[in-house]
Amino acid sequence: MKKFFISVVLIFSIVQLLAQQAKKELYCKTTIYPQYRKGTINGFKINIDYGSKDNFLLLSDSSFLNKTIKVTDLTNEMDAMCYLKSIGWEIVTINIITGSLGYANGDCIFWRKKIDE
């Protein structure tokens, strides 16, 4: 009986340890709009959307958000994609936003980041 009890406690401890090491996935969306001047593209405007801020309330370290928000200062869509990739975000999907005349009006990129809780 004593061996059984020790085995149960050991298994419970291992499961608890593994649960603490689990990573949480967070998502965001960047929308990249071309800025036109005299009919030609003159840079890009980049917006970032995290959805509900409640997702970040339980995080012990949310300092990565300061690095992520810097993407809005960039004016080139490739720089923005490379920057987000370099700080640990992964592309989930890319959607092209079309305007009323059927032309591409921007890109909507969904990202995922695995973080410790």
Side-chain angles (χ1 to χ4, degrees):
M1 184 68 175
K2 189 175 186 180
K3 288 181 182 180
F4 176 75
F5 179 70
I6 291 173
S7 299
V8 170
V9 170
L10 183 61
I11 290 172
F12 180 74
S13 299
I14 290 171
V15 169
Q16 188 69 15
L17 179 64
L18 292 175
Q20 290 176 0
Q21 293 177 350
K23 293 193 175 220
K24 182 176 182 178
E25 291 182 344
L26 294 176
Y27 294 88
C28 75
K29 175 180 77 170
T30 55
T31 309
I32 304 172
Y33 298 102
Q35 299 294 298
Y36 292 99
R37 193 170 114 209
K38 296 182 181 177
T40 60
I41 296 177
N42 187 29
F44 293 86
K45 179 169 176 33
I46 301 168
N47 295 327
I48 190 162
D49 180 9
Y50 299 106
S52 174
K53 293 284 185 173
D54 295 341
N55 296 332
F56 304 109
L57 294 177
L58 300 176
L59 299 178
S60 58
D61 180 22
S62 60
S63 62
F64 70 92
L65 289 176
N66 292 333
K67 292 180 184 176
T68 304
I69 200 69
K70 289 181 183 178
V71 76
T72 59
D73 296 334
L74 301 172
T75 58
N76 180 309
E77 63 183 334
M78 280 309 296
D79 287 345
M81 290 175 66
C82 291
Y83 176 74
L84 283 169
K85 185 78 172 153
S86 73
I87 60 172
W89 289 89
E90 301 171 0
I91 293 177
V92 176
T93 186
I94 299 175
N95 297 327
I96 297 174
I97 303 166
T98 56
S100 59
L101 299 176
Y103 296 108
N105 198 25
D107 297 324
C108 182
I109 305 170
F110 292 89
W111 299 85
R112 171 182 55 220
K113 183 173 179 70
K114 295 179 182 177
I115 59 166
D116 295 325
E117 291 190 67

